[in-house]
Every structure is written in structure tokens, then in C-alpha cells.
Amino acid sequence: MASPEAGQPSRLPQPSVLELYAMQQTNQRSGIRLSLNSELTESITLEKFPYHYCAVTGNVNLAAFMYLRQLQYSKGITVANFAADGKQGTTSWSKRVTLSPVDIANLAGHGPAAVVLSLILARVPLLWSRDTHHLFPQHFKQHAKSLLETLLTVPFFTRLPGSARVQMVDILMTMLAEGTVWGSLSPDVWREQWEECIGDDFEQAQQLVRPQPPRVQSVASNPSIAAYQFQIRTRRRDRPTPAGLAIARDMLLGFLLAGLSICCVAHLRRSDKR
């Protein structure tokens, strides 16, 4: 059998990670040093670990409130440290073991909280807009594409003026994002009724976040935001009052959204069954 040429690396089997661990030395003795961190035994409080607190309590609305107010995502809770001096005692290294809010939510058995906290960690916007569409998860983008394809098959929608179609799409996309991405949140979140949906932790949470938040109100929850321009022709000489026009406009928009929503939801369900 020919011997390997000079300068060629040996093709002998390389050690596994477990075998490398067995070769480590610490203080001139074989082994790895393990030390537990004091945070392992600390109580998880809202003041020190705000998002971990949401994870252990399962309060997804509190997490959304702090996220909207731009409270920095919690650093991981350090539970242990591994360290050694290396194979020959000359390559010191250390490894910290931390638990994120998502880890804590899973440990506590709060699946919806784990989902919401994962979205917050990924910086997915709480409210949909055309400028932030690319930041949303892929499954939402697929549903959004299917929704648009469905709308293009509805004759009434295709006959609307361009500005009306744009506004209607924005409303439906916002509703879709609230339902498919942030579906674990309470409807009170979109109405900014924070005290009702957060509960007893609301006052303390207010002290942690910025005092002036951006408005979170969903355009889908307030049809008057999307105002359509249309003419009402009548044989009567008396012109409708502004209040009457507003009521008619809201009723018309409500019927349109309800009908389109039913069509879109039915189409999405058919797509999921495939």
C-alpha cells in the first residue's frame, strides 16, 4: 500500500464532537467546567424580563403592546456556562447556555405565546402595509396572492375605480394579516383597548414603554377610514344629510367587505384542502 505523499493531509477518521469534549483539559486536568448562573433561580418578573414574563404567563396581548411601543426584545436568560482550556490546555473557550422568550413559552406550555414571540423576534410588523409586505411570513404572502387572484375573478371588484380597488385590497390585506399572522391576539388590540386585553399588568407595562405610541387602529375595524367617492342620484329635490350619507356609505362598505371576505375565505379553504 502506497504511503501518502509528503505534505498531504492524513485521511484517518476524525474525532466526533463528543470525543473532542472528552479530550478537553481544565486546570491541567481532564474535563469541562460547568457553572450554573444565578438567573436560573431568579423569578421571571415583568420589570427585568418583560418578554420572558409574557412567555411564562402566556399574555400575548401584553407582548404586542410592548412590541408596538418599541420596547427592546429581552436578552436571553443565562442558565449555565461551559468552559475548558482546550485539548492541550492552550485554547481556552467558553459557551453560555441561554433561554429566549420563545424557549420559555415552550417550556411553560404556551404555544400561542411562542408563535407571537417568534414573530416579534423576526420583527414582523404588527400592522400590514404595502411597504412592509416583504417582512411578513411566506405563508401569509401565499394567502395574499391567492386573495388577489380571487378578487380579480369578482366582476364587481374589477369594475370599481382604481383608487377604490386599492383601498379595498388594503383593508382585506390588513384583515388577512390580523387573522392568519396575528390571530392569537385579542380583537381589543386593534381597538387599542389595552387595559381590557392586558389585565392587571397594564399599569406596570406602561411604565416600561414609551409614552406616545403610534396608533394601532386597524383600517379593517373602522370602515369610515376608507371613504369611497360615489354619486347618489335621486328624483327628490331634498339632498341627503351628511349623517345619512355616512350611514349609507358605511353600510355599503360593510356589505361589500362581508361579501368579498366570504368569497376569499371559501377560496382559501379550498386551496388548503388541495
Side-chain angles (χ1 to χ4, degrees):
M1 181 176 180
S3 59
E5 298 180 4
Q8 292 291 328
S10 173
R11 295 187 177 275
L12 296 176
Q14 300 301 313
S16 64
V17 175
L18 180 61
E19 291 171 330
L20 287 175
Y21 277 153
M23 299 175 187
Q24 299 304 298
Q25 296 181 6
T26 302
N27 297 329
Q28 297 181 349
R29 298 177 60 183
S30 298
I32 298 175
R33 181 172 59 254
L34 169 63
S35 59
L36 300 180
N37 195 281
S38 61
E39 292 182 353
L40 179 64
T41 57
E42 285 187 29
S43 177
I44 299 177
T45 63
L46 177 58
E47 182 179 5
K48 186 171 183 180
F49 303 106
Y51 287 101
H52 288 85
Y53 179 84
C54 297
V56 77
T57 60
N59 195 334
V60 294
N61 300 320
L62 175 60
F65 173 73
M66 296 188 298
Y67 179 44
L68 181 71
R69 296 287 188 92
Q70 302 178 13
L71 183 66
Q72 186 176 1
Y73 197 78
S74 305
K75 65 179 181 67
I77 294 179
T78 302
V79 296
N81 291 279
F82 289 94
D85 296 332
K87 180 179 178 181
Q88 304 294 336
T90 58
T91 54
S92 299
W93 61 269
S94 63
K95 180 67 176 179
R96 182 166 49 183
V97 180
T98 61
L99 296 178
S100 69
V102 177
D103 296 327
I104 294 296
N106 286 321
L107 286 174
H110 296 306
V115 173
V116 169
L117 291 166
S118 296
L119 293 170
I120 293 175
L121 177 61
R123 306 299 298 174
V124 176
L126 198 60
L127 289 178
W128 179 90
S129 71
R130 293 172 180 267
D131 292 336
T132 61
H133 178 80
H134 66 284
L135 299 175
F136 278 78
Q138 187 61 33
H139 71 87
F140 168 78
K141 295 176 183 177
Q142 293 174 350
H143 283 309
K145 180 181 179 182
S146 181
L147 173 60
L148 289 175
E149 292 174 348
T150 302
L151 287 175
L152 293 175
T153 65
V154 180
F156 172 80
F157 176 79
T158 57
R159 295 192 187 104
L160 287 174
S163 59
R165 290 198 301 270
V166 169
Q167 292 184 26
M168 184 166 289
V169 167
D170 287 352
I171 292 173
L172 292 175
M173 287 298 174
T174 300
M175 295 173 62
L176 184 65
E178 292 174 4
T180 62
V181 179
W182 298 101
S184 300
L185 301 181
S186 167
D188 289 336
V189 169
W190 315 117
R191 294 190 289 264
E192 295 187 87
Q193 296 177 352
W194 295 114
E195 191 169 2
E196 287 78 1
C197 66
I198 291 177
D200 296 336
D201 295 317
F202 176 67
E203 291 186 4
Q204 187 178 358
Q206 275 192 311
Q207 300 175 4
L208 298 176
V209 298
R210 298 184 179 183
Q212 297 294 332
R215 290 189 62 81
V216 68
Q217 189 175 31
S218 164
V219 294
S221 65
N222 187 359
S224 63
I225 291 178
Y228 295 92
Q229 296 182 355
F230 58 92
Q231 294 181 346
I232 297 179
R233 299 193 178 192
T234 176
R235 294 181 180 180
R236 296 181 57 184
R237 293 184 178 180
D238 297 335
R239 298 183 63 184
T241 63
L245 287 176
I247 293 174
R249 180 196 61 201
D250 291 348
M251 290 180 62
L252 176 62
L253 184 57
F255 283 127
L256 294 179
L257 287 177
L260 284 174
S261 298
I262 292 173
C263 294
C264 295
V265 170
H267 178 80
L268 293 176
R269 286 180 177 175
R270 290 196 299 268
S271 300
D272 291 339
K273 288 181 180 180
R274 294 173 188 173

